[in-house]
């Protein structure tokens, strides 16, 4: 499939693929790319008769940091607790009003496998407030949010806190399976002779640890390799990827300096200084980025450290309510959460194409078109991945041959796309990114005068998510 896809995409007519020169020019980081505020539009609301309106009251995150920096000595529940406390401080919502807490995470700390519960208790929530943890790779906090949406829509809850957390600074490293088996058997041994017999069977290779990798279990392929193959299949050049990565960092830096990243709350790290901002935003130059060697497919790959998201520590939290409850408590919501979909594809050749499949489905479900969307917030795992998705979305051939559609959905216009940076620059704590996308979309809609936002993300396992966010009437 991969070679056929590569050949077909590379031979698309110019009218259905972005020429490299034109595309690179459109991605330049000049002032033309900065999002200009648009005039408010009068559009119909997406409210449905007989369906509860579910609103985002507020969303926060502690600063996203490169792994191995200020959060390195903490545990995941410490980060999640800080996000929960930040949400409580900003909203002043009484803890006993929260009916349920759901958190997403990917690489679980075995000591706190239900990190939602441990973080909630640490943040001062009652031990009578239920909490559970979900995992769905990079869309784990998306799943946490939509789980909360479902609970409110079903009338089971009025107030749900959803969020996500990841601590890549301290991922679990296991003994080899042989050593684990021996140690567990040794624990059951009753006599000294039995114990000595087991110990005598231990060999040097038993001590080789199992190191975690950001790889697919079903294919044993790292996501970086998948991104490189995807970029090659859709003829995304190294130049395009570096241009896009530079755009992401440049826009993120402008948003950070301009005070637009309103979801970030300070975190006093125990024994260290207070962290107030993301530390992965580093605008470079095309010349410097061009010097980096391929990180995965060597020596001819196009994915490098500069055009990939980095291993990140961070946590997020978002307060969801039924509209009636929010208004009764005196809150002015930021946005409605409307239709959403989850999709799943081949985990090898289409691992990172979740946004391509999810976007047309969520638009059709909501009765919208691409032209109706004012703000796009897509997860950027790799520059090559995001650009491949945009090219796939703009390809009639791909739509007809792989998606069972008559025509393409079309690519989002870049002037509406990730205008405050994305995961390449802001960071990507796997379990926490979805909440950042949603609250950023809400903030951008208010700032830029739009009504509808579309959030989309890919995830390991060949899955994806998309959601419509509607600005709350101002």
């Amino acid at each position: 499939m991969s070679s056929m896809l590569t050949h077909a995409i590379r031979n698309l007519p110019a009218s259905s693929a972005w020429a490299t020169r034109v595309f690179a020019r459109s991605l330049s980081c000049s002032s033309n790319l900065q999002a200009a505020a648009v005039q408010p539009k009068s559009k119909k609301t997406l409210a449905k008769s007989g369906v509860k309106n579910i609103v985002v009251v507020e969303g926060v995150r502690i600063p996203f940091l490169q792994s191995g920096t200020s959060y390195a000595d903490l545990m995941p529940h410490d980060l999640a607790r800080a996000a929960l406390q930040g949400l409580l401080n900003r909203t002043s919502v009484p803890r006993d009003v929260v009916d349920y807490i759901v958190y997403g995470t990917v690489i679980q700390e075995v000591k706190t496998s239900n990190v939602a519960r441990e973080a909630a208790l640490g943040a001062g929530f009652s031990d009578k407030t239920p909490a559970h943890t979900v995992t769905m790779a990079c869309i784990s906090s998306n799943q946490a949010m939509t789980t909360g949406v479902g609970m409110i829509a079903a009338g089971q809850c009025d107030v749900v806190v959803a969020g996500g957390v990841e601590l890549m600074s301290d991922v679990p490293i296991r003994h080899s399976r042989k050593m684990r088996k021996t140690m567990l058997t040794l624990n059951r041994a009753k006599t000294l002779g039995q114990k000595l017999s087991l110990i005598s069977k231990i060999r040097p290779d038993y001590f080789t640890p199992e190191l975690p990798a950001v790889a697919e279990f079903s294919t044993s392929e790292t996501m970086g390799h998948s991104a490189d193959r995807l970029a090659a299949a859709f003829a995304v050049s190294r130049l395009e990827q570096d241009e896009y990565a530079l755009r992401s960092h440049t826009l993120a830096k402008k948003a950070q300096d301009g005070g637009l990243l309103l979801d970030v709350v300070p975190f006093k790290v125990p024994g260290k200084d207070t962290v107030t901002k993301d530390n992965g935003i580093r605008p470079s130059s095309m010349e410097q980025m061009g010097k980096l060697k391929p990180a995965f497919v060597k020596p001819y790959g196009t994915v490098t450290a500069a055009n990939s998201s980095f291993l990140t520590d961070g946590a997020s939290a978002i307060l969801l309510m039924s509209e009636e409850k929010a208004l009764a408590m005196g809150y002015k919501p930021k946005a409605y959460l409307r239709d959403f979909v989850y999709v799943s594809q081949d985990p090898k050749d289409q691992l990172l194409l979740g946004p391509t499949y999810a976007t047309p489905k969520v638009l059709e479900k909501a009765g919208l078109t691409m032209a109706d969307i004012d703000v796009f917030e897509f997860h950027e795992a790799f520059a090559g991945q995001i650009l491949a998705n945009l090219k796939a979305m703009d390809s009639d051939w791909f739509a007809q041959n792989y998606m069972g559609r008559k025509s393409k959905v079309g690519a989002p216009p870049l002037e509406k796309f990730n205008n405050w940076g994305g995961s390449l620059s802001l960071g990507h704590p796997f379990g926490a990114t979805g909440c950042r996308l949603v609250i950023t979309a809400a903030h951008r809609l208010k700032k830029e005068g739009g009504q509808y936002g579309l959030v989309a993300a890919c995830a390991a396992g060949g899955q994806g998510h998309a959601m419509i966010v509607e600005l709350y009437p101002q």
Side-chain angles (χ1 to χ4, degrees):
M1 181 270 188
S2 180
S3 60
M4 180 179 70
L5 180 60
T6 302
H7 174 78
I9 291 294
R10 283 179 170 169
N11 287 280
L12 285 172
S15 60
S16 59
W18 295 348
T20 299
R21 185 174 56 144
V22 174
F23 190 73
R25 184 168 65 246
S26 72
L27 286 176
S28 68
C29 292
S30 68
S31 60
N32 292 333
L33 275 175
Q34 311 310 319
V38 297
Q39 294 299 314
K41 300 175 181 179
S42 177
K43 300 177 180 177
K44 65 177 182 179
T45 179
L46 297 181
K48 297 178 181 178
S49 177
V51 178
K52 280 189 177 183
N53 284 327
I54 297 156
V55 296
V56 175
V57 173
E58 184 60 273
V60 304
R61 62 183 176 91
I62 60 173
F64 288 177
L65 303 186
Q66 293 183 336
S67 63
T69 56
S70 294
Y71 300 157
D73 296 328
L74 302 179
M75 293 179 66
H77 74 285
D78 294 318
L79 306 189
R81 179 182 66 234
L84 288 173
Q85 290 172 332
L87 185 66
L88 291 170
N89 292 339
R90 180 166 288 187
T91 62
S92 298
V93 64
R95 289 174 173 82
D96 59 1
V97 169
V98 176
D99 299 310
Y100 210 98
I101 297 170
V102 192
Y103 250 73
T105 196
V106 178
I107 302 179
Q108 294 184 333
E109 163 60 57
V110 294
K111 293 181 179 179
T112 57
S113 57
N114 186 4
V115 70
R117 177 65 167 169
E118 305 305 333
L121 293 174
F125 284 91
S126 167
D127 58 9
K128 303 297 189 293
T129 304
H132 81 273
T133 302
V134 297
T135 187
M136 201 173 181
C138 301
I139 52 176
S140 292
S141 64
N142 305 70
Q143 183 60 253
M145 285 185 287
T146 57
T147 297
V149 168
M151 297 176 83
I152 296 173
Q156 298 298 312
C157 302
D158 284 319
V159 182
V160 173
V161 172
V165 62
E166 214 69 51
L167 182 70
M168 298 304 295
S169 291
D170 184 28
V171 296
I173 298 175
R174 303 198 301 177
H175 278 292
S176 67
R177 191 176 186 90
K178 290 179 181 179
M179 190 61 165
R180 297 199 307 272
K181 184 177 181 181
T182 300
M183 293 172 71
L184 291 171
T185 306
L186 185 63
N187 192 50
R188 295 192 297 269
K190 297 181 179 180
T191 68
L192 178 61
Q194 289 175 333
K195 293 180 180 180
L196 292 175
S197 176
L198 286 168
I199 292 173
S200 69
K201 296 177 181 178
I202 295 176
R203 298 293 179 264
D205 66 314
Y206 281 33
F207 293 95
T208 302
E210 289 183 1
L211 299 175
V214 184
E216 289 293 300
F217 179 79
S218 59
T219 65
S220 298
E221 185 176 62
T222 67
M223 290 185 69
H225 277 89
S226 297
D228 231 325
R229 288 195 301 102
L230 189 65
F234 283 90
V236 181
S237 70
R238 166 74 179 271
L239 175 64
E240 288 176 309
Q241 293 175 60
D242 287 352
E243 285 259 7
Y244 185 86
L246 181 58
R247 173 189 191 264
S248 183
H249 281 272
T250 301
L251 294 180
K253 178 64 173 172
K254 182 177 180 181
Q256 186 180 68
D257 292 346
L260 298 179
L261 305 182
L262 301 174
D263 56 332
V264 178
V265 293
F267 176 27
K268 175 62 174 72
V269 180
K272 298 182 181 180
D273 294 334
T274 299
V275 181
T276 60
K277 62 182 182 179
D278 308 318
N279 71 358
I281 303 174
R282 298 180 179 180
S284 182
S285 68
M286 290 296 294
E287 181 181 6
Q288 290 175 315
M289 295 171 71
K291 294 178 181 179
L292 295 184
K293 296 181 179 180
F296 301 98
V297 178
K298 304 174 182 179
Y300 301 116
T302 56
V303 175
T304 71
N307 57 42
S308 307
S309 59
F310 47 87
L311 295 179
T312 314
D313 301 333
S316 56
I318 198 164
L319 180 59
L320 307 176
M321 294 186 184
S322 63
E323 183 180 21
E324 295 83 357
K325 183 69 171 181
L327 296 179
M329 293 186 67
Y331 288 110
K332 177 65 180 293
K334 291 182 179 291
Y336 296 106
L337 294 187
R338 298 304 194 187
D339 292 286
F340 62 87
V341 298
Y342 288 93
V343 295
S344 188
Q345 296 81 234
D346 172 20
K348 183 174 177 62
D349 290 319
Q350 301 187 59
L351 175 70
L352 304 173
L353 286 176
T356 298
Y357 283 87
T359 294
K361 287 188 175 183
V362 80
L363 288 173
E364 290 169 359
K365 192 174 183 182
L368 300 175
T369 67
M370 290 289 278
D372 293 317
I373 304 300
D374 305 297
V375 161
F376 294 88
E377 283 292 327
F378 279 30
H379 164 45
E380 303 168 348
F382 304 87
Q385 162 262 328
I386 198 68
L387 296 180
N389 272 274
L390 299 186
K391 289 192 174 187
M393 293 168 71
D394 206 37
S395 167
D396 284 319
W397 180 89
F398 188 83
Q400 293 162 4
N401 287 273
Y402 284 93
M403 300 176 67
R405 300 178 58 84
K406 294 181 179 179
S407 61
K408 65 187 179 183
V409 66
L414 284 177
E415 63 269 17
K416 298 180 180 180
F417 192 83
N418 289 13
N419 286 340
W420 295 355
S423 304
L424 292 174
S425 49
L426 299 171
H428 175 38
F430 299 146
T433 290
C435 289
R436 178 190 69 77
L437 296 173
V438 167
I439 197 63
T440 299
H443 286 157
R444 280 187 57 203
L445 286 171
K446 182 177 180 180
K447 179 72 174 179
E448 298 172 16
Q451 183 170 345
Y452 301 136
L454 196 158
V455 168
C458 63
Q463 301 188 101
H465 168 78
M467 176 187 285
I468 300 295
V469 178
E470 181 183 342
L471 181 70
Y472 197 81
Q474 301 301 298

